[in-house]
Amino acid sequence: MHARDADTTQRTLLSPGPNGPVAGNACLVVIHGEGLGRRTDINLSRPVVIGRDHGCDLLILHPSVSRRHCEVWLEEGRYRVRDLGSTNTTRLNDRPVESADLADGDLLVVGESIVKFVGDSSVEANYHEEVYQLASHDELTGLYNRRLFIELFERELVRTDRDGLDLSFAILDIDWFKRINDTYGHQAGDQVLRQVAQVLRRGMRPQDLGGRIGGEEFGMLIPELDIASAHARLEAIRADMETTQFVLDGSPLPVTISAGMALRTPGRADRPSLMRAADLALYQAKQDGRNRIVRAD
């Protein structure tokens, strides 16, 4: 570059920009306060309820939020919001509202949190989807992270209890994982974690939920199956893991899992007691020699 050009601002070539809005679902995104980053699509067949009850579609666990605070729904091509008698009143663009139409970019104040409405033709929805994926999924395995898995666990308890359905929970742990890390290094351990997650995913039904809840521990929720059928599904995953070929440094590496599982019963109806029962069953599986599924009594 010549000296006289050093202070010359280069002209930019204008980009044509995106090829118009990308159609998709309208969504609600928490952009401030409790639940930051949480996102939910607006269901076209029923209202989306915002509140701190675990049965709500957009859960915001803060005492300033009513159990069922407000709802958003689609009516004759328009998105609308309605307050549900909340203690602190729903505010739309900082004004109290009982019911009103929503426009792309509108802000709902729900307790001490702010929820943004993103219209179904807004390119911003894609950005929020990416942010949501980063905030809710384990970066290494692509499964739900522990925080979201626990939230979904609570929701499944509400749903299956309401509908009178069975629900089993399992903790799956990679056998001898510390030995893998110590022998091959943590990068190899990460590779094993990714492949274990792939095996877990291909063994899950669409209604099953899986998450990474610890270093080498995975959680799995199996709804709508009795305990024998849920056990058989886990056993199929265990067998698949045993026969899957893991290769590290060019050499085959046997990888197995142990799991403890528990069915929700009146004696263990809440999440902590169900997780505790599955954890004790996992301990027994390790004590009995690993590479097995143990069912809580």
Side-chain angles (χ1 to χ4, degrees), residues 152-161 164-170 205 207-209 220-227 230 261-265 268-271 274:
L152 294 173
F153 198 152
E154 295 285 2
R155 290 191 183 190
E156 276 299 276
L157 285 169
V158 171
R159 183 185 73 86
T160 52
D161 184 57
L165 302 170
D166 284 332
L167 179 65
S168 294
F169 168 68
R205 303 168 302 158
Q207 59 267 54
D208 297 333
L209 295 171
M220 183 173 170
L221 284 168
I222 310 172
E224 305 171 28
L225 291 180
D226 58 41
I227 187 65
M261 65 177 300
L263 177 72
R264 184 183 56 183
T265 63
R268 46 177 184 252
D270 61 0
R271 179 185 56 78
L274 196 53

Side-chain angles (χ1 to χ4, degrees), residues 41-61:
D41 288 338
I42 298 176
N43 193 302
L44 301 183
S45 60
R46 62 176 177 81
V48 169
V49 179
I50 305 171
R52 63 182 170 86
D53 185 276
H54 281 286
C56 291
D57 302 286
L58 183 56
L59 180 67
I60 303 178
L61 289 172

Side-chain angles (χ1 to χ4, degrees), residues 73-80 100-102 117:
W73 77 102
L74 179 64
E75 179 182 290
E76 297 179 351
R78 298 177 302 161
Y79 289 97
R80 294 181 56 78
D101 289 346
L102 288 172
F117 170 72

Side-chain angles (χ1 to χ4, degrees), residues 269-289:
D270 61 0
R271 179 185 56 78
S273 60
L274 196 53
M275 292 186 76
R276 186 162 52 249
D279 195 44
L280 288 172
L282 171 62
Y283 176 79
Q284 190 61 51
K286 296 288 189 180
Q287 292 295 105
D288 291 347

Side-chain angles (χ1 to χ4, degrees), residues 94-154:
D94 213 27
R95 293 185 178 181
V97 65
E98 292 186 4
S99 64
D101 289 346
L102 288 172
D104 183 38
D106 277 349
L107 301 179
L108 297 172
V109 179
V110 180
E112 296 181 10
S113 293
I114 298 177
V115 179
K116 185 173 186 176
F117 170 72
V118 181
D120 52 14
S121 62
S122 174
V123 295
E124 191 177 357
N126 293 331
Y127 164 75
H128 284 297
E129 175 63 24
E130 291 183 13
V131 172
Y132 173 76
Q133 290 293 325
L134 289 172
S136 61
H137 289 69
D138 175 59
E139 183 179 4
L140 184 64
T141 65
L143 296 170
Y144 291 125
N145 60 28
R146 181 182 177 87
R147 180 191 63 79
L148 187 61
F149 183 81
I150 294 300
E151 178 184 317
L152 294 173
F153 198 152
E154 295 285 2

Side-chain angles (χ1 to χ4, degrees), residues 199 233-244 257 291 293:
V199 176
R233 178 156 294 278
L234 282 170
E235 176 58 29
I237 292 172
R238 185 210 61 78
D240 188 11
M241 200 77 66
E242 186 178 24
T243 57
T244 295
I257 57 168
N291 191 24
I293 313 293

